[in-house]
Amino acid sequence: MKQKYAIERNKETGNLTIKEYAELDKGLFSLIFEESYQGDVISAAIKEGPGAVISAIRTPSLYPIAEYAEKIAEKIIHIFEDPSLGDEPVDLVFNDVKLMQKGRKETVDADVPVEIDDLLDDVPGKDLDDDDDVVDVDDVDDLDDLGDIDDADDIDDADALDEE
């Protein structure tokens, strides 16, 4: 799926608007969300660096992944530093499929052969003996059989709360 972010700075007010779009059909983008920011807040974040810009633009509704957020922050900094860029929105288009393929290529190491038996040897809990402190509880009634539960204390605690 492709995503598009339209970044626009209003020259009159100095405010910034980011619109997030998703490609629903080949070449057809639909607006998902629009967020506006005060120009002075973004300007202050730019002075602190790209990390501060990313923090300033992320909201519960607009929260691009790190790779996208970095590129959006770079573009915002460029828009605010270049007075020739005006009211025309700057579009950034990202392709999730390419991002996933890139991540997959980085994690797969074809030079290291892996045997299926080696993978099965790494099963958690494989080394537990029957005598270990592992209790199999099949039913709620089995909990009373564990011996670690003191129902009388629970009743006394509840009575103490009622008296307060």
Side-chain angles (χ1 to χ4, degrees), residues 30-86:
S30 180
L31 180 65
I32 295 174
F33 192 76
E34 180 177 336
E35 187 75 58
S36 296
Y37 306 90
Q38 296 289 329
D40 54 345
V41 172
I42 299 297
S43 294
I46 289 171
K47 291 176 184 174
E48 293 180 34
V53 175
I54 292 171
S55 295
I57 64 169
R58 282 185 163 165
T59 67
S61 301
L62 181 75
Y63 199 90
I65 62 172
E67 186 171 325
Y68 297 174
E70 290 170 3
K71 293 187 187 306
I72 293 169
E74 288 173 13
K75 194 56 73 174
I76 290 171
I77 293 169
H78 183 69
I79 289 171
F80 272 73
E81 290 177 348
D82 188 353
S84 67
L85 295 174

Side-chain angles (χ1 to χ4, degrees), residues 4-113:
K4 178 170 76 170
Y5 293 89
I7 306 165
E8 183 177 4
R9 182 176 184 203
N10 185 320
K11 279 194 171 185
E12 293 175 14
T13 63
N15 293 340
L16 179 76
T17 303
I18 300 177
K19 296 178 183 177
E20 180 181 10
Y21 297 88
E23 184 179 45
L24 300 180
D25 198 13
K26 199 162 196 102
L28 178 65
F29 286 90
S30 180
L31 180 65
I32 295 174
F33 192 76
E34 180 177 336
E35 187 75 58
S36 296
Y37 306 90
Q38 296 289 329
D40 54 345
V41 172
I42 299 297
S43 294
I46 289 171
K47 291 176 184 174
E48 293 180 34
V53 175
I54 292 171
S55 295
I57 64 169
R58 282 185 163 165
T59 67
S61 301
L62 181 75
Y63 199 90
I65 62 172
E67 186 171 325
Y68 297 174
E70 290 170 3
K71 293 187 187 306
I72 293 169
E74 288 173 13
K75 194 56 73 174
I76 290 171
I77 293 169
H78 183 69
I79 289 171
F80 272 73
E81 290 177 348
D82 188 353
S84 67
L85 295 174
D87 294 326
E88 291 298 315
V90 175
D91 293 340
L92 293 173
V93 179
F94 301 102
N95 190 343
D96 291 343
V97 174
K98 289 182 181 178
L99 179 68
M100 286 188 274
Q101 289 172 346
K102 177 182 169 188
R104 184 175 177 201
K105 288 177 185 174
E106 292 173 357
T107 58
V108 175
D109 190 0
D111 296 336
V112 180

